[in-house]
Amino acid sequence: MDLLRFATAGSVDDGKSTLIGRLLYDSKSIFEDQLESVEAASKARGNEYTDLALLTDGLRAEREQGITIDVAYRYFATPRRKFIIADTPGHAQYTRNMVTGASTADLAIILVDARKGLTEQSRRHATIASLLRVPHLVLAVNKMDLVDFSQDVFEQIYKEFSDFAAKLNVPDLTAIPLSALEGDNVVERSARTPWYQGTSLLHHLEHVHIASDRNLQDVRFPVQYVVRPQHSSARDYRGLAGTVASGVMKVGDEVLALPSGLSSRIKAIDGPHGSVTEAYPPMAVTVRLEDELDISRGDVLCRPANHPQPTQDLDLTVCWMDDHPLVVGQKIGVLHTTRMARAIVKDIAYELDVNTLHREQGIRQLGLNSIGRVKLRVTTPLMVDDYDDNRTTGAMILIDEATNGTVGAGVVRAI
Amino acid sequence: MTHPHYHLSELDALEAEAIHIIREVVAQMERPALLFSGGKDSIVMLHVAIRAFAPAPVPFPVVHIDTGHNFPEVLEFRDRMVQDNGLQLIVGSVQEAIDRGVVREEPNGSRNRIQTPVLLDTIEKNRFDACMGGARRDEEKARAKERVFSFRDEFGQWDPRNQRPELWSLYNGKVHPGESIRVFPLSNWTELDIWNYIADREVEVPSIYFAHEREVFDRGGMWMAANEFAVPRDGDEVVTKKVRYRTVGDATLTAAVESDADTVEKIVTEIAATRLTERGATRGDDRVSEAAMEDRKKEGYF
Ligand SMILES: Nc1nc2c(ncn2[C@@H]2O[C@H](COP(=O)(O)OP(=O)(O)OP(=O)(O)O)[C@@H](O)[C@H]2O)c(=O)[nH]1
Ligand SMILES: [Mg+2]
């Protein structure tokens, strides 16, 4: 069965968690004891109706404040597809958690409150989804029950959003008028929006064509760990363990190891259940080579005629996620595939204004939740590809050297 | 396993993700350990871990936090796994901690909560900087919020309001001395995935998971086995029923479910149709309050 990973996005209180609750409820994906506990919690809060947002807002602080703080992951399946949902927070303070949920999504649902229209946070989330190259976007105009299911309201928001999305990289956009609270167009098409010709949200999620965004062309195998049994039964075994980032590796293929530039041939590929002749993403395998090369964690196997240029100079689009701003001259840790490195911030070329997408130049620092173009000089060469070509080798996280926290997400030359 | 369109099945993809995570732990961390309870999730995790490093042995010890409230079948199973796979086993004993006076037995007799200080003590003594656990996000609403690499401070505490962002499959295992990471390689597996995997890969699990006859009595709508850990009170009627366990935890709290599923295939069918979550059906510990799990995790529970 197909798997679709999707994330919710949008401003605080636009109805993301309610929508996920409604989707789970109306598709009969809720267990009885979960529903009972949500009903009891709603009653205890004096709600008139069962607050379906409580199905994902599971933390004490979230329930107290009625907002989502961190991503909740939920799993459900219909006869057509299996789904992994990441319900993310809309609150600006927790943008980093939205980024977390969106980074692995195939589709993002951007909710907008029909009464309020687009907000800065809707635009920021759309920009982040585009920056992360989430291949499919759904604009869900929610709370249609509060605007009398007005087609005009829907069309106007749709137009405003499409105009904005046109300036971003959004390959596929679908707009759906909804009421998460009352269930209109969530699982079933609603009789209250006769003017709407499209499908329900669930139908769209079940049928959207997940054009394989896996790259099967460019062989990239970041070495994660070297398997060297120190016992008699397999004394000569030396395997390079890792997960195939892209491309198809075959036994007998000539491979180039970077950054060393040494080459060899694949002698064998060992999978979790024995040897295989081919490996492709996202298989986790152990590769054995014909020759004993000096290869260790952080190196990359690729093909002699198709490989990245190792570089110490990075040109990144960065989403900054820490209270302390990123400043020019700062030193920072970088985790790129399996390679940990240190870097110095050389320059911030511009910051992106998420409302207008204007590039503000002459910037010396990037604050919390800002997006900007950053140049880094790294202590050790990294084998990077353009993020557009490769969501694994084009991505990295930035790590604060004092706190060890993950403070930034960087993609190679996107936007 | 290879497919003309280079498409990995769901189970293969989940397994690959778990292998990637476990290898990342070993590569990044200095002293990792795998928490092994003898329950189905930790068995699957260990099964995957063995395959992540083959033909080399698993490069970390397995740790069992022994509440002393065990199902005998599960302890036997644990020891056989350790023996057959040449594993190093470290046991943190709750009974011993009680005897030493480090922790005190709770009035309700459950050792679920007091196993946390024993776990933390075991981590500290062995200077583990990473502990892998078999918890899944679909189990419980607080778990649904937790990262794959879940940072814990020097007191083992989880701070749900301040988790590290976790993007793509890039896991940040950096810690200062005394701090540690809890790692959940099976985060994205559901209970059904676990059973499908057990069926598909012919993974052996303890006999109590399969339907069998047992003397049980009703406690708060759940079937408890009548034994030294759960003693029927006056008025409790002990009956013999065909039951099986869906989870394995502290024997004073873990209930059985009525079932005829005596093969893996029948269990898969049963789980696919169930209307109750595994914890809702079998665990007394989560019924204490709305945020019981979150509160325990904040104290350092896995
Ligand atoms: N009338 C109406 N109210 C809605 C609808 N959807 C959500 N709400 C209400 O809007 C409020 C916020 O809903 P949530 O689902 O918590 O919003 P959210 O987007 O998840 O908020 P954060 O996660 O904190 O960003 C709640 O009071 C909901 O009941 C809708 O379609 N119609
Ligand atoms: Mg929410």
Side-chain angles (χ1 to χ4, degrees):
Chain A
M1 217 190 326
D2 264 356
L3 172 71
L4 180 83
R5 283 172 170 263
F6 68 93
T8 58
S11 290
V12 68
D13 276 352
D14 283 354
K16 298 177 287 298
S17 303
T18 307
L19 175 65
I20 295 311
R22 173 56 68 183
L23 192 61
L24 292 169
Y25 182 80
D26 285 359
S27 64
K28 310 203 167 35
S29 311
I30 300 178
F31 293 97
E32 281 165 19
D33 52 308
Q34 290 174 331
L35 186 60
E36 273 167 28
S37 93
V38 164
E39 278 168 351
S42 300
K43 267 211 196 91
R45 279 172 178 68
N47 290 357
E48 286 166 27
Y49 48 84
T50 302
D51 183 357
L52 293 173
L54 297 178
L55 282 164
T56 55
D57 288 341
L59 297 175
R60 202 184 271 286
E62 292 179 326
R63 292 180 167 204
E64 274 163 18
Q65 299 173 49
I67 61 163
T68 304
I69 292 174
D70 211 332
V71 197
Y73 293 92
R74 295 286 310 215
Y75 306 79
F76 83 110
T78 65
R80 288 200 67 98
R81 258 187 194 161
K82 198 175 160 180
F83 299 96
I84 300 183
I85 310 174
D87 180 33
T88 80
H91 204 292
Q93 191 186 340
Y94 303 115
T95 301
R96 60 179 191 275
N97 299 332
M98 177 272 172
V99 177
T100 292
S103 69
T104 50
D106 305 308
L107 179 148
I109 305 174
I110 309 224
L111 275 87
V112 173
D113 185 329
R115 295 168 306 174
K116 297 186 189 154
L118 293 194
T119 64
E120 173 169 328
Q121 193 66 349
S122 342
R123 294 192 180 90
R124 175 174 284 113
H125 281 184
T127 307
I128 291 171
S130 145
L131 169 74
L132 295 170
R133 294 294 185 261
V134 177
H136 306 275
L137 283 197
V138 172
L139 168 70
V141 179
N142 189 33
K143 308 200 185 182
M144 290 298 292
D145 54 299
L146 299 179
V147 295
D148 291 329
F149 294 91
S150 152
Q151 178 173 11
D152 283 351
V153 171
F154 172 75
E155 296 292 351
Q156 206 190 325
I157 293 175
Y158 185 17
K159 174 157 194 320
E160 200 187 343
F161 190 87
S162 341
D163 289 348
F164 183 72
K167 294 186 249 173
L168 295 167
N169 189 324
V170 177
D172 173 37
L173 174 66
T174 303
I176 306 179
L178 295 175
S179 168
L181 191 68
E182 297 177 1
D184 300 80
N185 293 327
V186 177
V187 166
E188 302 290 341
R189 281 195 50 180
S190 169
R192 297 197 282 186
T193 51
W195 43 266
Y196 169 66
Q197 302 304 318
T199 65
S200 74
L201 176 65
L202 181 62
H203 187 277
H204 181 68
L205 296 173
E206 284 184 309
H207 292 85
V208 62
H209 178 64
I210 356 181
S212 167
D213 70 330
R214 290 176 316 149
N215 172 338
L216 294 173
Q217 304 303 316
D218 314 313
V219 170
R220 300 289 186 267
F221 183 74
V223 176
Q224 201 178 3
Y225 181 78
V226 180
V227 178
R228 289 211 79 155
Q230 303 291 345
H231 63 89
S232 49
S233 63
R235 202 174 292 290
D236 293 331
Y237 189 98
R238 185 169 193 277
L240 307 173
T243 303
V244 184
S246 56
V248 179
M249 305 173 82
K250 297 190 167 93
V251 172
D253 278 355
E254 194 176 350
V255 288
L256 175 75
L258 289 175
S260 70
L262 301 167
S263 56
S264 181
R265 266 178 208 287
I266 298 179
K267 183 162 77 181
I269 303 173
D270 300 320
H273 303 279
S275 292
V276 292
T277 53
E278 295 178 310
Y280 47 90
M283 284 171 72
V285 295
T286 305
V287 173
R288 282 182 281 150
L289 300 180
E290 298 275 3
D291 309 279
E292 280 261 335
L293 303 184
D294 177 12
I295 295 177
S296 53
R297 175 173 166 87
D299 294 355
V300 179
L301 297 185
C302 33
R303 303 271 285 154
N306 176 344
H307 61 85
Q309 292 302 333
T311 177
Q312 286 176 256
D313 291 298
L314 298 177
D315 185 359
L316 302 175
T317 303
V318 167
C319 178
W320 189 249
M321 305 185 286
D322 198 42
D323 295 331
H324 295 277
L326 174 83
V327 295
V328 174
Q330 177 183 347
K331 296 197 179 62
I332 195 149
V334 172
L335 177 62
H336 170 252
T337 67
T338 55
R339 188 167 275 237
M340 198 72 90
R342 301 183 67 204
I344 181 161
V345 179
K346 284 299 205 193
D347 185 30
I348 301 175
Y350 58 81
E351 178 181 341
L352 203 62
D353 179 325
V354 294
N355 274 313
T356 60
L357 298 180
H358 175 74
R359 299 172 171 188
E360 275 175 65
Q361 285 162 350
I363 299 283
R364 301 297 293 170
Q365 60 176 52
L366 274 188
L368 179 67
N369 303 328
S370 319
I371 296 168
R373 185 79 165 254
V374 176
K375 290 195 164 59
L376 297 184
R377 171 83 184 165
V378 194
T379 49
T380 166
L382 298 182
M383 281 62 74
V384 299
D385 289 294
D386 204 290
Y387 186 75
D388 275 335
D389 301 328
N390 202 313
R391 264 175 106 172
T392 306
T393 56
M396 63 196 73
I397 56 171
L398 306 179
I399 297 172
D400 186 292
E401 297 204 309
T403 65
N404 288 330
T406 303
V407 288
V411 300
V412 179
R413 287 185 303 268
I415 289 198
Chain B
M1 237 210 282
T2 22
H3 189 279
H5 302 296
Y6 297 115
H7 186 82
L8 220 50
S9 80
E10 271 165 72
L11 278 185
D12 287 335
L14 286 170
E15 181 186 52
E17 180 183 61
I19 291 176
H20 179 83
I21 293 164
I22 295 169
R23 285 173 173 167
E24 206 53 27
V25 171
V26 170
Q28 284 195 37
M29 310 309 287
E30 275 171 27
R31 294 178 64 86
L34 182 144
L35 298 170
F36 186 75
S37 66
K40 62 184 186 310
D41 302 314
S42 61
I43 292 169
V44 166
M45 176 170 60
L46 181 58
H47 185 90
V48 171
I50 290 168
R51 278 145 191 83
F53 300 101
V58 287
F60 42 75
V62 297
V63 171
H64 181 216
I65 302 304
D66 180 359
T67 60
H69 293 168
N70 298 301
F71 295 92
E73 299 91 333
V74 176
L75 269 196
E76 270 162 39
F77 185 89
R78 176 197 79 183
D79 293 338
R80 197 151 45 77
M81 285 289 278
V82 166
Q83 186 76 40
D84 292 353
N85 295 291
L87 304 171
Q88 186 201 343
L89 174 70
I90 293 172
V91 177
S93 162
V94 175
Q95 185 60 52
E96 209 183 283
I98 293 171
D99 296 345
R100 277 190 292 138
V102 190
V103 293
R104 259 200 276 160
E105 196 95 70
E106 303 241 299
N108 67 358
S110 153
R111 292 179 173 176
N112 198 4
R113 190 147 170 246
I114 58 174
Q115 66 177 309
T116 299
V118 179
L119 170 67
L120 297 179
D121 187 54
T122 309
I123 291 175
E124 198 182 310
K125 269 208 197 96
N126 291 279
R127 289 179 291 114
F128 293 133
D129 58 357
C131 287
M132 289 174 266
R136 312 184 320 267
R137 285 172 175 157
D138 86 322
E139 274 179 72
E140 206 280 335
K141 58 189 182 305
R143 290 208 155 136
K145 295 266 164 184
E146 197 164 9
R147 300 284 188 256
V148 172
F149 268 49
S150 179
F151 176 81
R152 300 301 174 101
D153 67 12
E154 63 205 298
F155 302 103
Q157 299 182 104
W158 180 52
D159 181 359
R161 304 194 55 160
N162 205 9
Q163 300 194 81
R164 286 180 177 172
E166 190 165 79
L167 287 98
W168 302 291
S169 48
L170 292 172
Y171 302 105
N172 176 2
K174 286 206 173 253
V175 290
H176 291 297
E179 299 167 345
S180 66
I181 307 274
R182 300 287 170 83
V183 183
F184 304 107
L186 309 183
S187 285
N188 289 320
W189 297 48
T190 63
E191 186 186 14
L192 187 58
D193 293 325
I194 293 284
W195 281 107
N196 275 322
Y197 188 85
I198 289 170
D200 195 77
R201 308 295 205 265
E202 299 179 6
V203 181
E204 207 196 322
V205 294
S207 55
I208 63 167
Y209 281 112
F210 300 97
H212 56 278
E213 306 249 304
R214 199 178 271 261
E215 292 201 325
V216 292
F217 64 95
D218 183 335
R219 182 171 287 171
M222 297 201 263
W223 292 112
M224 301 297 297
N227 56 26
E228 51 177 315
F229 304 119
V231 184
R233 300 183 197 118
D234 288 348
D236 281 340
E237 190 193 344
V238 177
V239 289
T240 301
K241 286 212 170 279
K242 197 151 188 204
V243 296
R244 67 175 207 88
Y245 284 87
R246 262 177 89 180
T247 65
V248 169
D250 181 314
T252 61
L253 292 168
T254 308
V257 293
E258 272 195 271
S259 170
D260 283 321
D262 52 7
T263 64
V264 178
E265 287 66 32
K266 288 186 198 167
I267 293 177
V268 168
T269 311
E270 183 190 283
I271 297 300
T274 183
R275 297 308 308 147
L276 290 177
T277 66
E278 62 177 65
R279 300 195 79 89
T282 66
R283 288 296 181 89
D285 41 341
D286 291 338
R287 298 195 162 184
V288 179
S289 83
E290 212 182 299
M293 172 67 87
E294 178 183 346
D295 293 343
R296 269 180 291 146
K297 287 176 90 66
K298 283 180 183 158
E299 291 171 1
Y301 186 75
F302 22 84

